[in-house]
Amino acid sequence: MQSFKLSLAVALAAVALPAVAQTTTADPGTPHKPLPYDRGYDKDTPRTRAINDAARPGVESANAEVLASAQAQTSGGTADSAQYSRDMAAYRQALRTRRHVANADMRRYDRQQRAYADAMRDWRRQSYACHHGSRRACRAPTPNPANYW
């Protein structure tokens, strides 16, 4: 009986505690003592306006520089467009060269792979002949893939 009363009291306290915690009267939107640093978001307050007004000339000049740079790139002067075309042609040439090198590597790899497979085929034939009584096959050297190129 004692444990039942104790568990009932604990259950009631667990239910009542959150209800009491939620009944605070402080509104989170009310102004508080200002922080010594900017929290990173803007509210329309005199403090925020003062911070923004102090930095406004620098922001406007940076925006003007970026806008001018973007307009210069968009307009595409003749010297820039000629250089751009040369860069594109050089890139295409580099791709062609790389493709030729890669194809040559693939041909070489294919030859090596075929040479190895041919040498293994001949070695298996030689091994079969040796195991079936051919002394000549037993004395023959192992096939070398380099000889099959």
Side-chain angles (χ1 to χ4, degrees), residues 53-140:
D53 288 344
R56 188 169 312 280
V59 171
E60 288 176 357
S61 69
N63 286 343
E65 285 179 29
V66 170
L67 180 62
S69 173
Q71 288 173 343
Q73 288 177 359
T74 305
S75 66
T78 56
D80 285 343
S81 64
Q83 180 62 45
Y84 185 81
S85 297
R86 286 193 300 272
D87 290 341
M88 288 296 289
Y91 179 75
R92 282 192 296 272
Q93 183 58 40
L95 282 180
R96 275 189 225 105
T97 302
R98 172 70 180 109
R99 187 171 45 238
H100 290 305
V101 170
N103 287 341
D105 285 346
M106 287 303 295
R107 286 190 297 271
R108 182 172 185 262
Y109 174 72
D110 188 49
R111 282 195 311 270
Q112 287 176 340
Q113 192 175 14
R114 288 182 189 281
Y116 178 77
D118 291 346
M120 287 302 296
R121 181 194 60 219
D122 290 349
W123 176 79
R124 284 190 186 91
R125 287 180 184 163
Q126 180 182 343
S127 178
Y128 179 82
C130 179
H131 287 303
H132 287 87
S134 171
R135 288 191 178 269
R136 183 173 170 221
C138 291
R139 286 190 227 125

Side-chain angles (χ1 to χ4, degrees), residues 41-57:
Y41 59 88
D42 293 337
K43 288 185 177 180
D44 191 26
T45 63
R47 181 171 183 260
T48 303
R49 284 191 294 275
I51 291 171
N52 289 343
D53 288 344
R56 188 169 312 280

